[in-house]
Amino acid sequence: MNLPTHLLPTTVVGSYPQPEWLVDRAMLSKVVPRTRLHAMWRLPAEHLEEAQDDATIVAIRDMERAGIDIVTDGEIRRESYSNRFATALEGIDDEKPAIITARTGSQPTPVPRVVGPVKRTRAVELHDMQFLRQNTDRAAKITLPGPFTMSQQAKNEFYKDDEELAMAFAEAVNAEALDLQKAGADVIQLDEPWVRNNPDLAKRYAVKAINRALQGITVPTVVHLCFGYAAVVPGSTKPAGYSFLGELNDTTADQISIEAAQPKLDLGVLKELSSKKIMLGVLDLGNPEIETVETVAGRIRNGLKQVPAERLVVAPDCGMKYMPRHVAFGKLKAMCDAAALVRKEIGG
């Protein structure tokens, strides 16, 4: 296992900006797709995988150059954090989507329909993990959409209730995660932003679904929460606290990843997670300016007031998919330099 041994290791949440020659970034900027968005890709199908591989190497090298300890593949092959995995499962109809309107009254969103038993019949992200492992000597993390979130991003037309659907998604995620672990993943992360969108439902079965998804996984595991991509959800609309957080102490995940910089989160809430490592968001992705090293170091120091250094992992707030690449790189470099500065201060 390649995991760093020093204090305050750095990582990314998952995604990194996809190059303009690979995707239509103007099209991407309008939506976080639930169904497939094939039109987003600029290359024909016969050249797409090679192009995605090349762009993935660029993302990995950027993270390494910035100083990231635990890298990802940048999720370069994905249209969104969740749709590629969710729509690859049996029982999901992506061709004739349902249209749903969020409780916030935002624009109608096409979502896949669940029309039969949800099953994973093939590996979805295995090549991603194998390629990442072949192209970095650093610790490697891969992300999967969480079962609760996927159950909320689809129209259930088969299962008796949403809990049964979430548990079916959990089985599929678990089968994939076990294969990713065998392929060399040092860390596996579940993205579960929707637990805070629907906390009442989450309190009923999200922990059970997360634990089923992580069953048998022996490498470190993370559950990531956020309030939405900064490019899509302005900081002024984000709450100052999570409606579903302490409950995650009951998950088998080793780490909880939270967005804290853009929403100016009251870090006192971290006391609710006394049994977990905290992956703390210290980069405001809603601010196009690259933070100074001292600004980011201050956010890390604030985290250390609530969490001992042995339990703190340094990260951006969320995925960096929607940012200009030079800004994403600059922010990561400032973050890594800030972590090194604070590490020196505390003798770690």
Side-chain angles (χ1 to χ4, degrees):
M1 198 177 289
N2 305 296
L3 288 169
T5 55
H6 54 255
L7 294 176
L8 306 178
T10 57
T11 191
V12 291
V13 169
S15 65
Y16 194 70
Q18 293 153 306
E20 187 72 60
W21 56 260
L22 180 66
V23 302
D24 183 336
R25 287 180 63 85
M27 182 186 294
L28 177 68
S29 70
K30 295 180 173 66
V31 66
V32 181
R34 311 293 180 220
T35 53
R36 294 307 301 268
L37 188 64
H38 298 292
M40 184 186 98
W41 303 101
R42 292 194 184 276
L43 286 95
E46 62 267 27
H47 299 308
L48 186 55
E49 186 174 306
E50 183 181 8
Q52 290 170 335
D53 283 352
D54 288 351
T56 298
I57 289 174
V58 172
I60 294 168
R61 294 293 170 265
D62 266 13
M63 290 181 226
E64 290 175 339
R65 283 194 308 123
I68 295 294
D69 296 310
I70 305 166
V71 303
T72 70
D73 69 339
E75 300 179 4
I76 298 297
R77 297 174 181 84
R78 306 188 200 185
E79 295 151 10
S80 81
Y81 70 96
S82 61
N83 74 335
R84 181 157 166 266
F85 183 77
T87 58
L89 302 174
E90 191 176 280
I92 303 295
D93 185 347
D94 181 52
E95 300 299 318
K96 302 191 211 63
I99 306 296
I100 62 169
T101 303
R103 288 179 302 168
T104 55
S106 58
Q107 63 183 28
T109 305
V111 298
R113 293 161 51 240
V114 181
V115 295
V118 170
K119 291 182 182 169
R120 173 188 176 267
T121 57
R122 62 180 177 85
V124 184
E125 296 181 18
L126 188 58
H127 170 69
D128 310 18
M129 186 60 239
Q130 290 168 335
F131 190 83
L132 174 58
R133 187 70 285 159
Q134 288 160 9
N135 284 283
T136 188
D137 294 328
R138 302 209 182 175
K141 175 172 81 171
I142 193 152
T143 68
L144 284 162
F148 182 85
T149 289
M150 282 194 289
S151 74
Q152 297 298 295
Q153 292 180 348
K155 180 81 182 328
N156 179 14
E157 296 180 3
F158 178 78
Y159 289 97
K160 71 172 194 263
D161 57 31
D162 284 355
E163 179 175 353
E164 198 173 73
L165 173 60
M167 294 311 292
F169 274 127
E171 281 195 41
V173 170
N174 182 245
E176 183 83 1
L178 288 167
D179 276 354
L180 296 173
Q181 179 173 263
K182 284 181 199 161
D186 296 302
V187 181
I188 293 175
Q189 176 178 302
L190 300 185
D191 292 328
E192 281 285 20
W194 281 64
V195 294
R196 66 111 204 149
N197 283 8
N198 201 335
D200 293 335
L201 214 55
K203 281 168 185 168
R204 281 177 36 209
Y205 58 83
V207 169
K208 179 175 150 188
I210 289 167
N211 287 347
R212 176 66 186 89
L214 296 177
Q215 194 173 310
I217 302 301
T218 55
V219 299
T221 51
V222 186
V223 173
H224 170 66
L225 311 182
C226 70
F227 301 112
Y229 288 109
V232 182
V233 184
S236 59
T237 67
K238 293 185 177 183
Y242 283 92
S243 49
F244 188 89
L245 188 64
E247 293 84 355
L248 293 171
N249 255 332
D250 294 331
T251 67
T252 55
D254 303 291
Q255 301 178 25
I256 307 301
S257 163
I258 61 166
E259 176 185 359
Q262 188 191 23
K264 298 180 173 57
L265 189 74
D266 174 2
L267 297 185
V269 299
L270 298 181
K271 290 173 182 165
E272 296 179 45
L273 296 168
S274 56
S275 71
K276 305 295 184 188
K277 282 191 173 182
I278 302 298
M279 204 174 114
L280 183 66
V282 296
L283 290 178
D284 179 351
L285 305 189
N287 182 354
E289 301 296 317
I290 295 169
E291 289 99 328
T292 65
V293 171
E294 187 50 44
T295 295
V296 183
R299 293 171 184 160
I300 297 171
R301 293 184 196 109
N302 284 339
L304 288 171
K305 292 174 186 172
Q306 309 294 337
V307 179
E310 296 76 20
R311 289 204 291 117
L312 200 64
V313 179
V314 177
D317 268 2
C318 197
M320 307 184 95
K321 184 184 189 79
Y322 292 86
M323 308 189 73
R325 192 174 131 207
H326 73 281
V327 175
F329 177 79
K331 283 177 176 279
L332 288 186
K333 181 75 169 62
M335 183 184 82
C336 293
D337 289 349
L341 176 66
V342 178
R343 196 179 297 128
K344 194 172 177 184
E345 290 171 359
I346 62 175

